[in-house]
Structure formats: structure tokens, C-alpha cells
Amino acid sequence: MLLFAFSLSAACTGSGDPAGPSPQETATITETPAPTTTTVSLTPGPTETVPPGKEIEFEVMEGLTPTITDDLRIVFVGGKGQDFVKSIDVRVTKSTGEVVDETMQPIRGDELIIQNAKGENRVEISVTLVTGGPYKIIDRIVAVS
């Protein structure tokens, strides 16, 4: 019994240092996310053709008064598929690199005016039909002088 008491007291005395291995510190690594950049391109890409009988037309041109303003004008003309159009998304990449995203109403004659669009602008128009989509039907360069 005496040996047992000595062994307990021997274990309790020490230099004050922890008896086992030192606890490891865990470093917290915080990653800084890379900034998201949208690639701006003035090079037109491929377009898609809507199914037969659902053709849609747009007019894309300089504004009504090109000598006074530097506007780009986009008009929904309609077509055989105008009643099937659910939404119209327009993206214009100006010659300055500025990107303008807008939506149009699928109503014949609806127009969109992009201001301060002097130079060569990439115009992309995508439509979503009630039967499916979207279809990128226009992707071209339009110059505003």
C-alpha cells in the first residue's frame, strides 16, 4: 500500500511541464478568392437557328439621329415565331469594353436604345421560346459613327 501511495505522489510531482506531447497548434489558412472577371470580347461567336416556323427578326442600327447622338437602336420586328417568344436578352459590348445587359419585351415594336455607343459594338441577342431555348440568334458587330 505504501508503494502505491509513493507511486501516485511521484506521478503528481513534476516540473510543471505537460506530461504528454505538446498540443499542436492548427493553423487556419484563409484563401482569398480570385477576383471574378468577365471576359470582354468584340469578336462575334456562332449563332443558332430557331426551329422552322418560329423565326424572329430584329433591326439593329444606329440611332434615329446618328449625327447628333451616338446611340445604338435595337427594335423587335416580330416574325412567324413572335407568339412563341418568352424572353429576349440583349448584351452589347461597347468598343470601350463596357458591357450592357438588358431585356426586351416580346412585343412587336419594342425598342432598346444603348447610349454612348460610338465605335464598333458587339450585339448579342438571345431569345427563349415557350417551347425551349435559349437561342442566340444575333451576334455581330454594329458600327456607330
Side-chain angles (χ1 to χ4, degrees), residues 11-141:
C12 291
T13 61
S15 62
D17 292 334
S22 63
Q24 295 186 5
E25 296 180 19
T26 53
T28 303
I29 300 173
T30 306
E31 284 189 35
T32 305
T36 55
T37 56
T38 304
T39 305
V40 176
S41 174
L42 291 174
T43 305
T47 58
E48 300 166 298
T49 304
V50 295
K54 296 185 173 91
E55 295 84 6
I56 304 155
E57 294 180 43
F58 290 87
E59 287 182 358
V60 182
M61 63 200 140
E62 288 185 295
L64 293 175
T65 55
T67 56
I68 298 172
T69 64
D70 298 325
D71 297 339
L72 177 66
R73 183 172 179 244
I74 302 167
V75 180
F76 178 58
V77 177
K80 292 180 183 178
Q82 71 184 19
D83 293 333
F84 297 98
V85 178
K86 182 177 175 181
S87 65
I88 303 169
D89 296 312
V90 179
R91 170 174 276 192
V92 176
T93 305
K94 296 181 182 182
S95 59
T96 60
E98 178 186 353
V99 177
V100 178
D101 289 314
E102 294 286 342
T103 58
M104 295 180 72
Q105 296 299 315
I107 299 169
R108 187 178 217 177
D110 189 35
E111 68 176 17
L112 178 62
I113 304 291
I114 307 295
Q115 298 179 338
N116 303 318
K118 187 170 188 168
E120 293 188 343
N121 305 280
R122 180 180 177 189
V123 177
E124 300 169 81
I125 301 176
S126 297
V127 296
T128 302
L129 304 178
V130 293
T131 57
Y135 297 92
K136 185 190 280 189
I137 60 170
I138 294 178
D139 191 351
R140 67 175 181 239
I141 300 294

